[in-house]
Amino acid sequence: MKIAVLIGSIRRNSYNRMLYNEISKKDLGGIEFYDVDISKLPLFNQDIEENAPQEVLDFSRSIRQADGVLFITAEYNYSIPGVLKNAIDWGSRQLGEKKHPFFEKPVGIMSASMGIFGGVRAQLHLRQVCVFLNTFTMPQPEFILPSAHEKFNSNGILIDEFSNRMLDKFLSSFIDWVEKFKN
């Protein structure tokens, strides 16, 4: 099983990247979580859609080949970061195919934030966007990591015991969720 991961923060040491790093260290029985770089995507512009740049084609292929998609996002101004929205906008385009890459993909959403709400508003907004994308977005359990700056050590390791248990529970449920839709 292959899971494409879109990290909604392109900051090198973001808490959402640290969360992804925790996932990538886990032994999940051969399940591959891979980071899809969204930092190089040009701003969505329908004028260049017909001759989409290679970065866009590579991004689209990375989503298409995945069995599922995991969003790990920060919250900016009560919403998702612009860089993530831009990636989703490119991913909503068919680019010569019958369906766009996100169409009917099983999706999971996680967030980490320094705030006490842990990115919950970004998750809610992202769920609205996923309705348009026609994804199968996992409803429960949710994974929201509030006060993330207190839950990682200086080496970027998730040291909070409760958060680690919730991460394991989320990942187990998400893998089961993707399996339900796998062709």
Side-chain angles (χ1 to χ4, degrees):
M1 180 185 298
K2 292 183 175 189
I3 308 295
V5 180
L6 277 70
I7 303 170
S9 173
I10 58 174
R11 186 170 61 89
R12 186 174 40 253
N13 293 318
S14 77
Y15 297 110
N16 292 279
R17 174 136 328 262
M18 290 179 193
L19 195 51
Y20 168 73
N21 291 340
E22 289 293 315
I23 294 168
S24 65
K25 290 187 298 190
K26 292 185 179 293
D27 179 7
L28 298 168
I31 295 166
E32 178 188 355
F33 285 79
Y34 60 94
D35 179 14
V36 178
D37 184 10
I38 62 175
S39 68
K40 307 266 187 306
L41 292 172
L43 290 177
F44 176 75
N45 179 345
Q46 201 168 11
D47 290 341
I48 63 172
E49 181 180 357
E50 195 169 303
N51 294 309
Q54 190 62 47
E55 296 85 359
V56 171
L57 299 175
D58 292 345
F59 170 77
S60 180
R61 185 172 33 262
S62 291
I63 302 302
R64 284 184 195 285
Q65 73 182 15
D67 297 305
V69 176
L70 177 61
F71 291 104
I72 308 176
T73 188
E75 179 174 303
Y76 292 176
N77 303 320
Y78 289 13
S79 186
I80 59 176
V83 68
L84 180 57
K85 179 63 167 77
N86 184 59
I88 291 169
D89 289 345
W90 275 117
S92 72
R93 310 311 286 187
Q94 294 175 342
L95 301 177
E97 300 288 333
K98 291 181 180 181
K99 298 174 183 169
H100 64 76
F102 289 114
F103 188 82
E104 294 186 347
K105 290 278 183 188
V107 164
I109 301 173
M110 306 172 78
S111 58
S113 170
M114 290 175 61
I116 60 171
F117 295 115
V120 70
R121 293 171 290 216
Q123 284 200 26
L124 289 171
H125 188 201
L126 185 51
R127 286 178 184 281
Q128 289 177 316
V129 175
C130 285
V131 169
F132 172 80
L133 295 174
N134 200 32
T135 65
F136 300 122
T137 306
M138 185 172 79
Q140 293 287 330
E142 296 176 310
F143 186 90
I144 298 164
L145 186 64
S147 304
H149 59 291
E150 298 172 355
K151 306 217 172 125
F152 289 95
N153 69 15
S154 59
N155 294 320
I157 307 298
L158 186 62
I159 56 172
D160 183 70
E161 220 174 283
F162 177 77
S163 298
N164 271 302
R165 283 195 313 272
M166 293 300 98
L167 178 59
D168 288 342
K169 179 180 178 182
F170 177 90
L171 290 173
S172 176
S173 295
F174 181 59
I175 290 165
D176 290 346
W177 182 255
V178 174
E179 192 64 43
K180 289 179 185 181
F181 298 97
K182 197 172 172 198
N183 294 332

